[in-house]
Amino acid sequence: MLHINSNEETVAASPEKVYEVLTQFMNKDLSQIPGLSGLETFENGCSFSVNNQIHCRLAVVDKVPCSRVVYKAETDKSISAEASFDIAPAGEGSVLKGHADIQVPFFLQGLVKGAIDKFMNTAMQYLKTAIENS
């Protein structure tokens, strides 16, 4: 299992607002995330391609109001992951931290870790902007 932690982001929004955006993100325009294409939405989730190499289906599988949202991702490459976003109050805003546990064969971990790190931190920047602008 490959474990990824995102950078911690301070967000100028309440934990309630962060939670709302995280649970409803698939209803937003995600075309601004570099490397993401072919977005299709469905109830509680979406599917998309990353860098035209991996097709991913993402669904909300657990949520704790104003403190945590958990997604499950499955790909066409037999890779599955669980990503969680922890939300904590910070003054008048919030702190957002992402984590991912990815089921990927050991011999592929070195090949995909850099790309997944980059994607996770890019997604965090997108989420911060989306939350602050909504």
Side-chain angles (χ1 to χ4, degrees):
M1 177 160 328
L2 182 60
H3 185 74
I4 304 288
N5 288 309
S6 74
N7 295 329
E8 188 173 273
E9 295 291 339
T10 301
V11 182
S14 69
E16 293 81 10
K17 183 66 171 179
V18 174
Y19 176 79
E20 175 189 336
V21 172
L22 288 177
T23 57
Q24 299 300 315
F25 82 95
M26 65 285 299
N27 298 323
K28 306 287 184 191
D29 177 15
L30 302 178
S31 64
Q32 300 303 313
I33 299 176
L36 190 134
S37 62
L39 177 71
E40 295 181 29
T41 61
F42 53 88
E43 186 176 343
N44 263 354
C46 62
S47 64
F48 53 87
S49 292
V50 179
N51 296 325
N52 293 321
Q53 295 178 6
I54 297 175
H55 187 75
C56 183
R57 180 177 171 92
L58 185 66
V60 175
V61 294
D62 190 25
K63 44 190 173 175
V64 178
C66 306
S67 65
R68 189 165 208 234
V69 178
V70 181
Y71 304 94
K72 177 153 180 113
E74 296 176 330
T75 74
D76 59 347
K77 307 289 187 205
S78 299
I79 299 171
S80 65
E82 188 169 285
S84 61
F85 294 90
D86 296 324
I87 308 161
E92 294 183 23
S94 303
V95 172
L96 182 62
K97 178 79 174 177
H99 313 276
D101 289 316
I102 303 144
Q103 295 288 343
V104 61
F106 178 75
F107 63 91
L108 291 177
Q109 289 182 10
L111 295 173
V112 299
K113 184 177 184 330
I116 295 170
D117 275 335
K118 182 178 178 183
F119 179 77
M120 183 92 163
N121 285 313
T122 300
M124 290 292 289
Q125 286 294 311
Y126 171 82
L127 288 170
K128 175 182 175 161
T129 300
I131 292 163
E132 291 177 344
N133 292 330
S134 62

